[in-house]
Amino acid sequence: MKSTEPEFAGHFEQLAQGRLCFPYCAACQRFHWYPMPLCPHCRADGWQWRGINGSGTLYSWTEIHHAFDARYTGALPYIVALIEFPQAPGIRLVANLVGTSSMGLAIGQAVSADFSQVLAGSGPLVFRAHAVAAS
Amino acid sequence: MDIAIAGIGHTPPVRRSPKNIRHLAIEAIQAALDDAGLEGHDIDGVITDGVIMPHTVPREFIAAQFGMTRSFDGGVSFGGAGVAAAPELAKLAIGARKARTVLFYFGVDWGSRASGPYGFHDMYPAKMAFEKPYGFNAQPSYFALWARRYMHEYGMTDADLAVVAISHREHALRNPLAQARTPMTLASYRAARMIAEPLRVPDCCLISDGVGAFIMTSLERARDLRQPAVKVLGSSFASEAWSGDDIFTQQAEIFRVTGAQAACRSALAEAGITLADIDFAELYDCFTISVLMQLEDLGFCARGESPDFVRERGIGVDGALPVNTHGGLLSHSYLLGVEHMIEAVRQLRGAAGAAQLAKADIGLVGGWSIPDYGVCVLGRDAR
């Protein structure tokens, strides 16, 4: 993914290697997202990318049925998930959830990253749902 | 110094207008001038939003067209929050004697523009890099995530969202100008096409071409003009430390309306009233869920209680708090809330036609441009 913002690049470079990384500030020991030039919590310069395993939980999701952009017309419907990670508290990631229908999902459900597309350079990061959490 | 709204004007709500946005702006502004009984050269201050209009209908174009020599110009927020906070800026200018008569105008041509409202968020670099590749690039998809989470936390159902959609449609049926005038029932709501689950077509605002305008001056001067003066009792902008990039996904409590509580408290304090004094509200109903969130964050009810509030207390013209008496963004038009200010003025003039409320002495306009919020409290001039 090309972007004019230099602080974005590391995320995609790491993703291409199969690693999910977020900005982590050693000064205040907090993650932030999306990447900003300075840590938005403490204004420290020089945060680092910190990798996490791809295990998360579903904070919310939506199944999209309308092509807001013509390039998605053939992909409808698709699921956009908002995911939280125990290893990166305080932030949430937007990504597609595949291999499931919206009917089978529940908030709090465990999901995990599937890096096969990014490693092959054939598409963005996707997540897959585990069995519904008992909650 | 007390100020008042002395003139209103707008173009007829329509999905696609044959006129371009500059022509629409001229039509709306001329209507507002005519309504007030003023000429272009009477305007010495011009305010619009700070993001959208500068690229479509800049202030200097309007000034050149209408012959406006100004001593004050301003741009505030973008879209809805700017509409409701414009009187705050006008009051500062008029009170400081930097201007005497201030024009506000705002509109969009998102019905005609190929990317519609969805292209607007392309200005946010992180959204472009981290969201658009996942097909997460449009307002309905953000609000769908919020609605789903709200359902999970507070037990809201699609029937609760339908109450909001149906109430707005019933108001639109009283307004011959409204864009969406097909009667709606729970069954027809549920039969409507899904856009971004759980939001269906009737949960989402319309798309429109159009412009609205209003003219502000001192209360004293407004009383000498053509229309009954409508007093600006309070107007306030508030925002928090969020950007358009992160507000939609990263806030701890994702459906909290940033700025709403602060702007509302400030505007009510300025007016010297409480929420109990508000007869009706015109709220930024970009989605059904948006109305529920704002009822809570403005303080009309507690978090999680808005579904019960709309069902039991009522937001229809006969309800405890009539909301969006013209049909709102959901059923009247989507001009990002400038039509809300115009409708509030109509109600307070007693000129709202079949949607006229029995009691309309004080109205609240809530304008939202996430993460910004603006509140304007308007009152009938009962001198």
Side-chain angles (χ1 to χ4, degrees), chain B residues 17-74:
Chain B
S17 172
K19 295 186 174 183
N20 75 26
I21 185 78
R22 292 190 176 208
H23 290 244
L24 291 169
I26 290 167
E27 182 181 329
I29 292 165
Q30 186 64 59
L33 289 167
D34 292 346
D35 186 55
L38 293 170
E39 303 284 343
H41 60 73
D42 292 318
I43 301 294
D44 59 1
V46 177
I47 301 172
T48 185
D49 86 308
V51 175
I52 296 171
M53 301 314 286
H55 300 286
T56 54
V57 192
R59 292 187 300 269
E60 68 272 20
F61 169 79
I62 292 304
Q65 178 67 74
F66 284 97
M68 297 169 178
T69 301
R70 288 101 66 221
S71 48
F72 179 85
D73 257 14

Short mmCIF file of all heavy atoms in Angstrom, two decimals, chain B residues 17-74:
data_model
loop_
_atom_site.label_atom_id
_atom_site.label_comp_id
_atom_site.label_asym_id
_atom_site.label_seq_id
_atom_site.Cartn_x
_atom_site.Cartn_y
_atom_site.Cartn_z
N SER B 17 -29.65 18.04 -8.91
CA SER B 17 -30.16 19.28 -9.45
C SER B 17 -29.54 19.54 -10.82
O SER B 17 -28.37 19.26 -11.04
CB SER B 17 -29.80 20.44 -8.51
OG SER B 17 -30.13 21.67 -9.12
N PRO B 18 -30.33 20.12 -11.73
CA PRO B 18 -29.72 20.52 -13.01
C PRO B 18 -28.77 21.70 -12.84
O PRO B 18 -27.95 21.97 -13.72
CB PRO B 18 -30.93 20.89 -13.88
CG PRO B 18 -32.02 21.19 -12.91
CD PRO B 18 -31.76 20.36 -11.70
N LYS B 19 -28.88 22.39 -11.70
CA LYS B 19 -28.00 23.54 -11.45
C LYS B 19 -26.72 23.07 -10.75
O LYS B 19 -26.76 22.17 -9.92
CB LYS B 19 -28.69 24.56 -10.55
CG LYS B 19 -29.91 25.22 -11.16
CD LYS B 19 -30.41 26.30 -10.23
CE LYS B 19 -31.55 27.08 -10.88
NZ LYS B 19 -32.01 28.19 -10.03
N ASN B 20 -25.61 23.74 -11.05
CA ASN B 20 -24.40 23.38 -10.32
C ASN B 20 -24.39 24.07 -8.96
O ASN B 20 -25.23 24.91 -8.65
CB ASN B 20 -23.14 23.64 -11.16
CG ASN B 20 -22.77 25.11 -11.26
OD1 ASN B 20 -23.11 25.92 -10.38
ND2 ASN B 20 -22.06 25.47 -12.31
N ILE B 21 -23.42 23.72 -8.14
CA ILE B 21 -23.42 24.14 -6.74
C ILE B 21 -23.31 25.67 -6.60
O ILE B 21 -23.90 26.26 -5.69
CB ILE B 21 -22.31 23.39 -5.95
CG1 ILE B 21 -22.34 23.68 -4.46
CG2 ILE B 21 -20.93 23.68 -6.51
CD1 ILE B 21 -23.39 22.96 -3.69
N ARG B 22 -22.61 26.33 -7.49
CA ARG B 22 -22.51 27.79 -7.39
C ARG B 22 -23.85 28.45 -7.69
O ARG B 22 -24.24 29.41 -7.03
CB ARG B 22 -21.42 28.32 -8.33
CG ARG B 22 -20.03 27.89 -7.88
CD ARG B 22 -18.94 28.58 -8.65
NE ARG B 22 -17.64 28.17 -8.09
CZ ARG B 22 -16.55 28.90 -8.11
NH1 ARG B 22 -16.55 30.08 -8.69
NH2 ARG B 22 -15.44 28.46 -7.58
N HIS B 23 -24.54 27.91 -8.66
CA HIS B 23 -25.87 28.46 -8.99
C HIS B 23 -26.86 28.20 -7.85
O HIS B 23 -27.69 29.05 -7.52
CB HIS B 23 -26.38 27.87 -10.30
CG HIS B 23 -25.62 28.36 -11.50
ND1 HIS B 23 -26.20 29.11 -12.49
CD2 HIS B 23 -24.32 28.23 -11.84
CE1 HIS B 23 -25.29 29.41 -13.41
NE2 HIS B 23 -24.14 28.88 -13.03
N LEU B 24 -26.73 27.02 -7.24
CA LEU B 24 -27.60 26.70 -6.09
C LEU B 24 -27.33 27.65 -4.94
O LEU B 24 -28.25 28.13 -4.27
CB LEU B 24 -27.37 25.25 -5.64
CG LEU B 24 -27.85 24.16 -6.61
CD1 LEU B 24 -27.33 22.79 -6.17
CD2 LEU B 24 -29.38 24.14 -6.70
N ALA B 25 -26.06 27.96 -4.71
CA ALA B 25 -25.70 28.87 -3.62
C ALA B 25 -26.28 30.27 -3.87
O ALA B 25 -26.83 30.91 -2.96
CB ALA B 25 -24.19 28.93 -3.46
N ILE B 26 -26.18 30.71 -5.08
CA ILE B 26 -26.71 32.04 -5.42
C ILE B 26 -28.23 32.06 -5.18
O ILE B 26 -28.77 33.01 -4.60
CB ILE B 26 -26.36 32.38 -6.89
CG1 ILE B 26 -24.86 32.65 -7.02
CG2 ILE B 26 -27.19 33.59 -7.38
CD1 ILE B 26 -24.35 32.70 -8.45
N GLU B 27 -28.91 30.99 -5.60
CA GLU B 27 -30.36 30.92 -5.41
C GLU B 27 -30.73 30.95 -3.92
O GLU B 27 -31.65 31.69 -3.51
CB GLU B 27 -30.87 29.63 -6.06
CG GLU B 27 -32.37 29.45 -5.99
CD GLU B 27 -32.83 28.13 -6.65
OE1 GLU B 27 -32.16 27.68 -7.60
OE2 GLU B 27 -33.83 27.57 -6.20
N ALA B 28 -30.03 30.19 -3.10
CA ALA B 28 -30.34 30.12 -1.67
C ALA B 28 -30.05 31.45 -0.98
O ALA B 28 -30.83 31.92 -0.14
CB ALA B 28 -29.54 29.00 -1.02
N ILE B 29 -28.93 32.05 -1.32
CA ILE B 29 -28.54 33.31 -0.68
C ILE B 29 -29.49 34.43 -1.09
O ILE B 29 -29.91 35.25 -0.26
CB ILE B 29 -27.06 33.64 -1.00
CG1 ILE B 29 -26.15 32.61 -0.31
CG2 ILE B 29 -26.71 35.06 -0.59
CD1 ILE B 29 -24.73 32.59 -0.83
N GLN B 30 -29.86 34.45 -2.36
CA GLN B 30 -30.83 35.46 -2.80
C GLN B 30 -32.16 35.29 -2.05
O GLN B 30 -32.78 36.28 -1.63
CB GLN B 30 -31.06 35.36 -4.31
CG GLN B 30 -31.95 36.47 -4.87
CD GLN B 30 -31.31 37.85 -4.70
OE1 GLN B 30 -30.21 38.09 -5.19
NE2 GLN B 30 -31.97 38.75 -3.96
N ALA B 31 -32.56 34.03 -1.85
CA ALA B 31 -33.81 33.78 -1.11
C ALA B 31 -33.70 34.27 0.33
O ALA B 31 -34.66 34.83 0.88
CB ALA B 31 -34.13 32.28 -1.15
N ALA B 32 -32.54 34.06 0.96
CA ALA B 32 -32.35 34.51 2.35
C ALA B 32 -32.36 36.04 2.42
O ALA B 32 -32.94 36.62 3.35
CB ALA B 32 -31.05 33.95 2.91
N LEU B 33 -31.72 36.69 1.47
CA LEU B 33 -31.73 38.16 1.43
C LEU B 33 -33.15 38.67 1.24
O LEU B 33 -33.59 39.60 1.94
CB LEU B 33 -30.83 38.66 0.29
CG LEU B 33 -29.32 38.49 0.48
CD1 LEU B 33 -28.59 38.73 -0.84
CD2 LEU B 33 -28.78 39.43 1.56
N ASP B 34 -33.88 38.07 0.31
CA ASP B 34 -35.26 38.49 0.05
C ASP B 34 -36.14 38.28 1.28
O ASP B 34 -36.99 39.11 1.61
CB ASP B 34 -35.86 37.68 -1.13
CG ASP B 34 -35.20 38.03 -2.46
OD1 ASP B 34 -34.50 39.07 -2.53
OD2 ASP B 34 -35.39 37.26 -3.42
N ASP B 35 -35.90 37.15 1.96
CA ASP B 35 -36.68 36.83 3.15
C ASP B 35 -36.48 37.91 4.23
O ASP B 35 -37.43 38.33 4.90
CB ASP B 35 -36.24 35.46 3.68
CG ASP B 35 -37.08 34.95 4.84
OD1 ASP B 35 -38.31 34.88 4.67
OD2 ASP B 35 -36.51 34.63 5.89
N ALA B 36 -35.24 38.36 4.36
CA ALA B 36 -34.92 39.38 5.37
C ALA B 36 -35.27 40.79 4.89
O ALA B 36 -35.33 41.72 5.69
CB ALA B 36 -33.44 39.29 5.73
N GLY B 37 -35.43 40.94 3.59
CA GLY B 37 -35.63 42.27 3.02
C GLY B 37 -34.32 43.06 2.94
O GLY B 37 -34.29 44.27 3.16
N LEU B 38 -33.24 42.34 2.65
CA LEU B 38 -31.92 42.97 2.56
C LEU B 38 -31.35 42.81 1.15
O LEU B 38 -31.81 41.99 0.36
CB LEU B 38 -30.97 42.33 3.57
CG LEU B 38 -31.27 42.56 5.05
CD1 LEU B 38 -30.39 41.67 5.92
CD2 LEU B 38 -31.09 44.03 5.44
N GLU B 39 -30.33 43.61 0.87
CA GLU B 39 -29.59 43.52 -0.39
C GLU B 39 -28.20 42.96 -0.09
O GLU B 39 -27.72 43.02 1.05
CB GLU B 39 -29.42 44.91 -1.02
CG GLU B 39 -30.72 45.65 -1.27
CD GLU B 39 -31.47 45.14 -2.49
OE1 GLU B 39 -30.84 44.44 -3.32
OE2 GLU B 39 -32.67 45.42 -2.61
N GLY B 40 -27.55 42.46 -1.13
CA GLY B 40 -26.20 41.92 -0.96
C GLY B 40 -25.27 42.90 -0.28
O GLY B 40 -24.45 42.52 0.57
N HIS B 41 -25.38 44.16 -0.63
CA HIS B 41 -24.44 45.14 -0.06
C HIS B 41 -24.69 45.43 1.42
O HIS B 41 -23.90 46.10 2.07
CB HIS B 41 -24.43 46.43 -0.89
CG HIS B 41 -25.76 47.12 -0.96
ND1 HIS B 41 -26.31 47.80 0.11
CD2 HIS B 41 -26.67 47.21 -1.97
CE1 HIS B 41 -27.48 48.28 -0.25
NE2 HIS B 41 -27.74 47.93 -1.50
N ASP B 42 -25.79 44.91 1.95
CA ASP B 42 -26.03 45.04 3.39
C ASP B 42 -25.20 44.05 4.21
O ASP B 42 -25.08 44.19 5.43
CB ASP B 42 -27.51 44.78 3.71
CG ASP B 42 -28.42 45.87 3.15
OD1 ASP B 42 -28.04 47.05 3.26
OD2 ASP B 42 -29.49 45.53 2.60
N ILE B 43 -24.67 43.02 3.55
CA ILE B 43 -23.89 41.98 4.25
C ILE B 43 -22.45 42.47 4.41
O ILE B 43 -21.79 42.82 3.43
CB ILE B 43 -23.91 40.65 3.45
CG1 ILE B 43 -25.34 40.15 3.25
CG2 ILE B 43 -23.01 39.60 4.11
CD1 ILE B 43 -26.06 39.73 4.50
N ASP B 44 -21.95 42.47 5.65
CA ASP B 44 -20.54 42.86 5.85
C ASP B 44 -19.74 41.78 6.58
O ASP B 44 -18.63 42.02 7.03
CB ASP B 44 -20.44 44.21 6.58
CG ASP B 44 -21.12 44.19 7.94
OD1 ASP B 44 -21.66 43.12 8.33
OD2 ASP B 44 -21.12 45.23 8.62
N GLY B 45 -20.31 40.58 6.68
CA GLY B 45 -19.58 39.44 7.22
C GLY B 45 -20.09 38.17 6.58
O GLY B 45 -21.30 38.03 6.40
N VAL B 46 -19.19 37.27 6.21
CA VAL B 46 -19.61 36.01 5.56
C VAL B 46 -18.94 34.84 6.28
O VAL B 46 -17.72 34.84 6.48
CB VAL B 46 -19.27 36.00 4.07
CG1 VAL B 46 -19.65 34.65 3.45
CG2 VAL B 46 -19.97 37.13 3.33
N ILE B 47 -19.75 33.87 6.66
CA ILE B 47 -19.24 32.64 7.30
C ILE B 47 -19.74 31.44 6.52
O ILE B 47 -20.89 31.41 6.09
CB ILE B 47 -19.74 32.53 8.76
CG1 ILE B 47 -19.30 33.74 9.59
CG2 ILE B 47 -19.23 31.24 9.40
CD1 ILE B 47 -19.92 33.76 10.99
N THR B 48 -18.87 30.47 6.34
CA THR B 48 -19.31 29.16 5.87
C THR B 48 -18.46 28.12 6.58
O THR B 48 -17.77 28.46 7.56
CB THR B 48 -19.25 29.04 4.33
OG1 THR B 48 -19.81 27.78 3.95
CG2 THR B 48 -17.84 29.17 3.80
N ASP B 49 -18.52 26.87 6.17
CA ASP B 49 -17.66 25.89 6.82
C ASP B 49 -16.23 26.10 6.34
O ASP B 49 -15.98 26.84 5.38
CB ASP B 49 -18.15 24.46 6.55
CG ASP B 49 -17.59 23.90 5.26
OD1 ASP B 49 -17.71 24.57 4.22
OD2 ASP B 49 -17.02 22.80 5.29
N GLY B 50 -15.28 25.45 7.01
CA GLY B 50 -13.89 25.70 6.70
C GLY B 50 -13.25 24.68 5.78
O GLY B 50 -12.06 24.79 5.47
N VAL B 51 -14.00 23.66 5.35
CA VAL B 51 -13.38 22.56 4.61
C VAL B 51 -14.04 22.32 3.25
O VAL B 51 -13.36 22.15 2.25
CB VAL B 51 -13.45 21.25 5.44
CG1 VAL B 51 -12.92 20.06 4.66
CG2 VAL B 51 -12.67 21.42 6.74
N ILE B 52 -15.36 22.30 3.22
CA ILE B 52 -16.06 21.88 2.00
C ILE B 52 -16.29 23.07 1.05
O ILE B 52 -15.86 23.04 -0.11
CB ILE B 52 -17.40 21.19 2.35
CG1 ILE B 52 -17.11 19.90 3.14
CG2 ILE B 52 -18.21 20.89 1.09
CD1 ILE B 52 -18.34 19.24 3.74
N MET B 53 -16.94 24.12 1.54
CA MET B 53 -17.28 25.24 0.66
C MET B 53 -16.08 25.98 0.07
O MET B 53 -16.17 26.48 -1.05
CB MET B 53 -18.20 26.25 1.36
CG MET B 53 -19.53 25.67 1.86
SD MET B 53 -20.41 24.63 0.69
CE MET B 53 -21.05 25.86 -0.44
N PRO B 54 -14.96 26.07 0.80
CA PRO B 54 -13.82 26.76 0.19
C PRO B 54 -13.42 26.17 -1.17
O PRO B 54 -12.82 26.85 -2.00
CB PRO B 54 -12.70 26.61 1.22
CG PRO B 54 -13.44 26.54 2.53
CD PRO B 54 -14.69 25.74 2.21
N HIS B 55 -13.76 24.88 -1.39
CA HIS B 55 -13.40 24.24 -2.66
C HIS B 55 -14.53 24.25 -3.68
O HIS B 55 -14.33 23.87 -4.83
CB HIS B 55 -12.96 22.80 -2.40
CG HIS B 55 -11.78 22.70 -1.50
ND1 HIS B 55 -10.51 23.01 -1.92
CD2 HIS B 55 -11.68 22.37 -0.19
CE1 HIS B 55 -9.66 22.86 -0.90
NE2 HIS B 55 -10.36 22.49 0.15
N THR B 56 -15.75 24.60 -3.24
CA THR B 56 -16.88 24.54 -4.17
C THR B 56 -17.47 25.92 -4.43
O THR B 56 -17.62 26.33 -5.58
CB THR B 56 -17.96 23.58 -3.64
OG1 THR B 56 -18.33 23.97 -2.31
CG2 THR B 56 -17.47 22.15 -3.64
N VAL B 57 -17.81 26.62 -3.34
CA VAL B 57 -18.37 27.97 -3.49
C VAL B 57 -17.67 28.88 -2.48
O VAL B 57 -18.19 29.13 -1.39
CB VAL B 57 -19.89 28.01 -3.24
CG1 VAL B 57 -20.46 29.34 -3.70
CG2 VAL B 57 -20.61 26.86 -3.93
N PRO B 58 -16.49 29.37 -2.80
CA PRO B 58 -15.74 30.15 -1.82
C PRO B 58 -16.42 31.47 -1.47
O PRO B 58 -17.22 32.00 -2.24
CB PRO B 58 -14.38 30.39 -2.49
CG PRO B 58 -14.47 29.85 -3.86
CD PRO B 58 -15.76 29.13 -4.05
N ARG B 59 -16.10 31.95 -0.28
CA ARG B 59 -16.73 33.18 0.20
C ARG B 59 -16.53 34.34 -0.75
O ARG B 59 -17.44 35.14 -0.98
CB ARG B 59 -16.17 33.55 1.59
CG ARG B 59 -16.56 32.58 2.68
CD ARG B 59 -16.11 33.10 4.04
NE ARG B 59 -14.67 33.28 4.13
CZ ARG B 59 -13.80 32.36 4.53
NH1 ARG B 59 -14.22 31.19 4.92
NH2 ARG B 59 -12.51 32.61 4.56
N GLU B 60 -15.33 34.43 -1.32
CA GLU B 60 -15.06 35.59 -2.17
C GLU B 60 -15.87 35.55 -3.47
O GLU B 60 -16.20 36.59 -4.04
CB GLU B 60 -13.56 35.75 -2.44
CG GLU B 60 -12.94 34.67 -3.31
CD GLU B 60 -12.45 33.47 -2.51
OE1 GLU B 60 -12.90 33.26 -1.36
OE2 GLU B 60 -11.63 32.71 -3.06
N PHE B 61 -16.22 34.35 -3.92
CA PHE B 61 -17.08 34.25 -5.09
C PHE B 61 -18.47 34.82 -4.77
O PHE B 61 -19.05 35.58 -5.57
CB PHE B 61 -17.20 32.78 -5.53
CG PHE B 61 -18.26 32.54 -6.57
CD1 PHE B 61 -18.03 32.84 -7.90
CD2 PHE B 61 -19.50 32.04 -6.20
CE1 PHE B 61 -19.02 32.64 -8.86
CE2 PHE B 61 -20.50 31.83 -7.14
CZ PHE B 61 -20.25 32.14 -8.47
N ILE B 62 -18.98 34.44 -3.60
CA ILE B 62 -20.29 34.95 -3.18
C ILE B 62 -20.23 36.46 -3.01
O ILE B 62 -21.15 37.20 -3.44
CB ILE B 62 -20.71 34.26 -1.86
CG1 ILE B 62 -21.00 32.78 -2.12
CG2 ILE B 62 -21.91 34.95 -1.22
CD1 ILE B 62 -22.05 32.52 -3.18
N ALA B 63 -19.16 36.94 -2.41
CA ALA B 63 -19.01 38.39 -2.20
C ALA B 63 -19.00 39.13 -3.52
O ALA B 63 -19.64 40.18 -3.67
CB ALA B 63 -17.73 38.66 -1.41
N ALA B 64 -18.27 38.58 -4.47
CA ALA B 64 -18.17 39.24 -5.79
C ALA B 64 -19.52 39.22 -6.50
O ALA B 64 -19.93 40.21 -7.12
CB ALA B 64 -17.11 38.55 -6.64
N GLN B 65 -20.23 38.10 -6.39
CA GLN B 65 -21.52 37.98 -7.05
C GLN B 65 -22.56 38.95 -6.48
O GLN B 65 -23.34 39.54 -7.21
CB GLN B 65 -22.03 36.54 -6.92
CG GLN B 65 -23.38 36.30 -7.52
CD GLN B 65 -23.37 36.43 -9.04
OE1 GLN B 65 -22.88 35.59 -9.73
NE2 GLN B 65 -23.89 37.55 -9.54
N PHE B 66 -22.54 39.09 -5.15
CA PHE B 66 -23.59 39.88 -4.49
C PHE B 66 -23.16 41.29 -4.09
O PHE B 66 -23.96 42.03 -3.52
CB PHE B 66 -24.11 39.13 -3.25
CG PHE B 66 -25.02 37.98 -3.59
CD1 PHE B 66 -24.53 36.68 -3.65
CD2 PHE B 66 -26.38 38.19 -3.84
CE1 PHE B 66 -25.37 35.62 -3.96
CE2 PHE B 66 -27.22 37.13 -4.15
CZ PHE B 66 -26.72 35.84 -4.21
N GLY B 67 -21.91 41.63 -4.36
CA GLY B 67 -21.46 42.98 -4.01
C GLY B 67 -21.30 43.19 -2.51
O GLY B 67 -21.77 44.18 -1.96
N MET B 68 -20.66 42.22 -1.86
CA MET B 68 -20.50 42.28 -0.41
C MET B 68 -19.11 42.76 -0.04
O MET B 68 -18.12 42.06 -0.25
CB MET B 68 -20.73 40.88 0.20
CG MET B 68 -22.14 40.35 -0.01
SD MET B 68 -22.24 38.59 0.45
CE MET B 68 -23.99 38.28 0.17
N THR B 69 -19.02 43.94 0.53
CA THR B 69 -17.77 44.45 1.08
C THR B 69 -17.75 44.05 2.56
O THR B 69 -18.67 44.41 3.29
CB THR B 69 -17.70 45.97 0.94
OG1 THR B 69 -17.79 46.29 -0.45
CG2 THR B 69 -16.40 46.52 1.51
N ARG B 70 -16.74 43.28 2.97
CA ARG B 70 -16.79 42.71 4.32
C ARG B 70 -15.73 43.25 5.25
O ARG B 70 -14.63 43.57 4.83
CB ARG B 70 -16.63 41.18 4.28
CG ARG B 70 -17.79 40.44 3.73
CD ARG B 70 -17.51 40.05 2.29
NE ARG B 70 -16.42 39.09 2.19
CZ ARG B 70 -15.49 39.14 1.25
NH1 ARG B 70 -15.47 40.11 0.36
NH2 ARG B 70 -14.56 38.21 1.20
N SER B 71 -16.09 43.29 6.53
CA SER B 71 -15.14 43.59 7.59
C SER B 71 -14.89 42.36 8.44
O SER B 71 -14.12 42.39 9.40
CB SER B 71 -15.66 44.73 8.46
OG SER B 71 -17.01 44.49 8.82
N PHE B 72 -15.58 41.24 8.12
CA PHE B 72 -15.39 39.98 8.87
C PHE B 72 -15.71 38.82 7.95
O PHE B 72 -16.71 38.85 7.22
CB PHE B 72 -16.33 39.94 10.09
CG PHE B 72 -16.19 38.67 10.88
CD1 PHE B 72 -15.20 38.54 11.85
CD2 PHE B 72 -17.03 37.59 10.65
CE1 PHE B 72 -15.05 37.36 12.57
CE2 PHE B 72 -16.88 36.40 11.37
CZ PHE B 72 -15.89 36.30 12.32
N ASP B 73 -14.86 37.78 7.97
CA ASP B 73 -15.10 36.53 7.25
C ASP B 73 -14.64 35.40 8.16
O ASP B 73 -13.68 35.57 8.91
CB ASP B 73 -14.28 36.47 5.96
CG ASP B 73 -15.13 36.75 4.72
OD1 ASP B 73 -16.27 37.26 4.87
OD2 ASP B 73 -14.65 36.48 3.62
N GLY B 74 -15.30 34.26 8.07
CA GLY B 74 -14.85 33.13 8.88
C GLY B 74 -15.24 31.80 8.30
O GLY B 74 -16.22 31.69 7.56
#
